[in-house]
Amino acid sequence: RVREVEGVFVSLREAQELGALCERQLQENAPLQEGSGTLVPIVVEDDEAELDLSKQIQLGQLDLEAPPHLIKGIQLRPHQQEGVAWMQNVSKERFGTGVLLADDMGLGKTLQVWSYLHWRILSPASDVRGPSMVVAPVSLLENWQAEYAKFFEPKLTIHMPSPQDLQRMDWSELDKLDVLLINYERLTRNALQAGQVDWGVIALDEAQKVKNPGTAISHVVKSLKSQ
């Protein structure tokens, strides 16, 4: 017999067997085995991995290092603290691994990334060895500048080159910058120069721009060297 549960058809016999095995597991000190070494699913209560990020921060399981040089009176909201703490911990524990911020529009992803960049570039223990880059659609680049000016003391050297600037820009001298702001189209047209730079952090705004592996911008972004 089967029964529909939330749109999925479940065998009642298999569900009952699994429930019985789980009950037995909770009463044992070691994993149970059935038949020829087949492991029974283990029931784990209060799994720390299932705690949301804010709870992990409260319990001291996920460290949050306050971003330096926020303008006085500015404080990150709890969900923004979670995002920054998560990026910081990925940097410290899994060096080289990327992250995806998937908060809804208007919840401060730009502020979170600026907070991370301020911490990553300006902290005394900074490991960033080259310039960082933010790639965004044309319509959002000025917002990146405005958000930085709104929330942070101007400690980072930031440059958003015009088309004329790009024509005469010496890409080998970018180590004098902290962050380059550039749009996807200009990055594509300057792929060769950008590919020769050892970037620190690369942040992609509206990252669905690179989800299609067959597009030029996807090839360009994936060919870049970064920490």
Side-chain angles (χ1 to χ4, degrees):
R1 293 187 302 162
V2 296
R3 177 172 295 177
E4 185 176 358
V5 180
E6 297 183 356
V8 178
F9 289 96
V10 178
S11 165
L12 293 181
R13 179 184 60 80
E14 292 180 356
Q16 289 169 347
E17 289 180 357
L18 180 59
L21 291 173
C22 289
E23 288 182 4
R24 289 173 56 196
Q25 177 62 60
L26 288 173
Q27 298 170 2
E28 300 289 336
N29 294 324
L32 294 173
Q33 294 187 348
E34 293 289 324
S36 58
T38 303
L39 291 176
V40 172
I42 299 175
V43 178
V44 180
E45 293 184 307
D46 297 327
D47 189 348
E48 291 182 0
E50 296 299 320
L51 294 174
D52 61 43
L53 292 176
S54 60
K55 194 67 174 178
Q56 291 183 45
I57 294 173
Q58 293 174 16
L59 296 176
Q61 298 169 354
L62 189 65
D63 294 329
L64 170 64
E65 295 186 29
H69 307 297
L70 276 168
I71 289 177
K72 186 176 181 180
I74 300 296
Q75 186 170 358
L76 299 180
R77 296 182 177 181
H79 72 274
Q80 295 167 342
Q81 294 178 10
E82 294 174 10
V84 175
W86 181 53
M87 289 187 284
Q88 290 175 342
N89 279 265
V90 168
S91 290
K92 289 184 284 188
E93 296 179 11
R94 294 184 295 171
F95 187 70
T97 302
V99 300
L100 175 67
L101 287 178
D103 290 326
D104 287 336
M105 184 183 299
L107 293 182
K109 294 185 292 294
T110 304
L111 174 57
Q112 292 178 57
V113 175
W114 274 131
S115 296
Y116 170 74
L117 288 172
H118 246 237
W119 167 81
R120 184 78 185 270
I121 296 171
L122 297 175
S123 64
S126 173
D127 63 348
V128 175
R129 297 188 295 270
S132 293
M133 176 167 60
V134 172
V135 190
V138 177
S139 59
L140 296 180
L141 282 177
E142 290 187 358
N143 179 65
W144 276 85
Q145 286 186 314
E147 290 274 295
Y148 185 73
K150 180 179 180 181
F151 294 111
F152 291 92
E153 299 174 14
K155 300 293 184 179
L156 294 179
T157 303
I158 300 170
H159 182 45
M160 187 173 73
S162 66
Q164 295 74 29
D165 292 334
L166 283 172
Q167 290 176 6
R168 56 178 179 264
M169 190 168 76
D170 186 348
W171 290 75
S172 65
E173 296 292 321
L174 288 186
D175 55 355
K176 298 176 182 177
L177 288 178
D178 289 313
V179 181
L180 178 72
L181 299 178
I182 192 169
N183 66 55
Y184 286 97
E185 292 72 27
R186 290 177 185 166
L187 176 61
T188 304
R189 287 195 290 269
N190 292 272
L192 181 60
Q193 297 92 325
Q196 297 175 13
V197 178
D198 292 318
W199 300 98
V201 179
I202 297 177
L204 306 178
D205 195 0
E206 302 293 340
Q208 70 269 16
K209 287 270 190 179
V210 301
K211 72 177 181 180
N212 186 339
T215 60
I217 184 56
S218 181
H219 285 298
V220 170
V221 166
K222 293 171 184 176
S223 70
L224 296 175
K225 298 176 291 183
S226 73
Q227 289 175 257

